[in-house]
Every structure is written in C-alpha cells, then in structure tokens.
C-alpha cells in the first residue's frame, strides 16, 4: 500500500494513526506521483523506439529481406512507411517529453489536471497508432505476397489460384491478428497500468478542485 492509499484510508477512518494532510500537501503528493508516471511513459517510449530501430537495422535491413520486398514490388513503399513511422514515433516521444516538463514545473491545479488528461489521450493515440501501423504493414505485405509470390504465379488454373489466395490470405490474417492481439495485450499491460494511475491521480485532483 503506497502513501496515497494510506491517505485515502485516513479520510475514511476517523480513528486511525495516519497523518492528516492539507490540500497543499495533497497537491504536492499527487503532483510528484503524476510527474513520475509521465516520466516512465517517456522512458518506455524511448526504449521502444530504440528496440524497433535496432530490430529494423539488424533484421529487416538485410539483403535477404530486401530481395523479398523487391520481388514483391513493395520495397520502396514499405521503406517509406518505415521512415515515416520513425518520424511519427519521435514526434510522440517529443510530445511525452514536453508534457513531462510541463507537469514537472506545474504549480497550478487546473493546469496539472489538463496536462494529465492530455498525456492520457496522447498515450492512447500512441497505442492505436502503433497497432494501426502493424495492421497496415501486414495488409500491404500479404497482398503483395499473394500477387507476386512465384508459387502462386506458377499455378495455371484461375480456380486453383483463387483457392490458394483464400487459404494464404486466411492464414496470414489469423497469424497477424494473433500477433497484433499480443502487442495490444503488451501495450495495455504496460501503458494501461500507467494510464490507470494517472486517471486515479486526476480523480483525486478533482476532489481538491472542488
């Protein structure tokens, strides 16, 4: 049980030994906790950017992978999507940093509450964006594979190709859906917990605002 939990119990129980806090002390405590949470969101997003970049450099940027993308005629398209993705992720990280600085120096209750709400929204957008990029990339790759894969092109019958298209597409859809679901679970596990803590702090700040 952390200090804020002890404080909430002290409000509910008149006969306890926990110290009493005035509004100013409560504000400082919630301000400190909120700053710490946003700092962790910033740190995790930076770590994620480093991991994604490293994987792209050491795994995706290989001659073998480039040859597959060229064969499927999506090399330039997916490279463009990747570079744009990096720019947008850096934009998210910068936004997290700016709001961390704002919350860190905030000395006004309403401004602190507004910044907390903004960070919650941006974090949710960040999760949705990452999952959307995964889905879009998977769709592009799947369509290109079905159109240009040599195994499919060598099949003479249109009917056989259609059956293979459907089977291949269904298999990829299931695989990518499971992968995206896994990432969604990871994102909600990591960022979701931090968002819940921010929401809790915001609700406590609303009580002070009243």
């Amino acid at each position: 049980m952390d200090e804020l939990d002890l404080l909430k119990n002290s409000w509910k129980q008149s006969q306890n030994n926990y110290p009493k806090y005035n509004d100013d002390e409560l504000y400082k405590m919630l301000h400190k906790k909120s700053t710490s949470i946003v700092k962790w969101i910033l740190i995790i997003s930076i770590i994620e950017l480093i991991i994604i970049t490293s994987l792209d450099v050491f795994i995706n940027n290989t001659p073998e992978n480039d040859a597959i993308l060229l064969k499927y005629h999506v090399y330039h398209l997916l490279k463009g999507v990747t570079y744009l993705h990096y720019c947008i992720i850096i934009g998210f990280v910068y936004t997290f940093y700016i709001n961390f600085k704002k919350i860190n120096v905030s000395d006004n209750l309403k401004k602190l509450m507004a910044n907390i709400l903004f960070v919650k929204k941006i974090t949710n957008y960040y999760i949705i964006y990452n999952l959307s990029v995964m889905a879009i990339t998977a769709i592009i790759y799947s369509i290109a594979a079905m159109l240009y894969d040599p195994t499919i092109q060598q099949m003479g019958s249109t009917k056989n190709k259609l059956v293979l298209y459907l089977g291949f597409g269904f298999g990829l859809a299931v695989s990518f859906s499971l992968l995206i679901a896994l990432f969604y679970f990871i994102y909600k596990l990591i960022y979701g917990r931090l968002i819940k803590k921010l929401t809790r702090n915001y609700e406590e700040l609303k009580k002070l605002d009243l």
Side-chain angles (χ1 to χ4, degrees):
M1 182 177 291
D2 59 22
E3 188 177 1
L4 189 57
D5 289 325
L6 296 178
L7 175 59
K8 288 173 67 178
N9 284 338
S10 73
W11 288 342
K12 297 177 181 178
Q13 301 175 8
S14 58
Q15 302 298 325
N16 60 59
N17 296 322
Y18 298 134
K20 299 292 189 281
Y21 297 87
N22 58 37
D23 286 353
D24 185 59
E25 290 171 328
L26 288 174
Y27 172 81
K28 290 179 180 179
M29 184 188 307
L30 292 167
H31 179 277
K32 182 179 179 180
K33 288 173 69 67
S34 299
T35 302
S36 176
I37 293 168
V38 176
K39 181 179 72 175
W40 274 109
I41 292 176
L42 173 64
I43 291 172
I44 294 171
S45 64
I46 292 174
I47 293 174
E48 183 182 357
L49 176 61
I50 293 172
I51 292 174
I52 291 174
T53 305
S54 300
L55 288 175
D56 185 62
V57 170
F58 294 108
I59 297 178
N60 291 334
N61 280 335
T62 61
E64 295 80 7
N65 188 67
D66 288 347
I68 293 174
L69 296 180
L70 286 169
K71 181 174 66 176
Y72 290 168
H73 301 280
V74 291
Y75 176 84
H76 297 292
L77 176 60
L78 288 184
K79 289 297 180 181
V81 170
T82 299
Y83 295 139
L84 178 61
H85 177 61
Y86 288 156
C87 293
I88 294 176
I89 290 295
I90 291 172
F92 273 111
V93 172
Y94 178 74
T95 302
F96 289 141
Y97 172 75
I98 292 298
N99 280 276
F100 165 71
K101 298 294 291 184
K102 286 182 178 180
I103 289 178
N104 191 40
V105 300
S106 177
D107 57 356
N108 179 277
L109 178 59
K110 291 188 179 296
K111 287 183 179 180
L112 177 58
M113 293 173 66
N115 287 331
I116 288 176
L117 279 180
F118 185 74
V119 170
K120 284 178 55 183
K121 289 181 181 179
I122 291 297
T123 306
N124 285 325
Y125 292 155
Y126 179 74
I127 294 172
I128 294 171
Y129 166 75
N130 277 298
L131 294 175
S132 299
V133 169
M134 291 180 196
I136 292 171
T137 303
I139 291 171
I140 292 173
Y141 187 88
S142 299
I143 294 175
M146 287 189 287
L147 291 176
Y148 299 107
D149 188 271
T151 302
I152 298 177
Q153 296 306 310
Q154 289 172 5
M155 300 185 70
S157 170
T158 302
K159 181 179 179 181
N160 289 340
K161 283 186 179 181
L162 179 60
V163 172
L164 190 57
Y165 280 149
L166 293 175
F168 185 67
F170 178 76
L172 284 177
V174 171
S175 300
F176 285 127
S177 295
L178 291 174
L179 183 62
I180 291 173
L182 174 62
F183 275 99
Y184 175 79
F185 174 76
I186 294 173
Y187 276 126
K188 294 300 289 185
L189 182 65
I190 297 174
Y191 291 103
R193 291 180 63 184
L194 295 172
I195 286 296
K196 285 182 180 179
K197 290 182 179 180
L198 270 183
T199 302
R200 180 179 169 188
N201 286 1
Y202 178 79
E203 293 301 325
E204 297 296 339
L205 286 167
K206 281 178 64 177
K207 294 177 182 178
L208 292 182
D209 193 35
L210 295 175

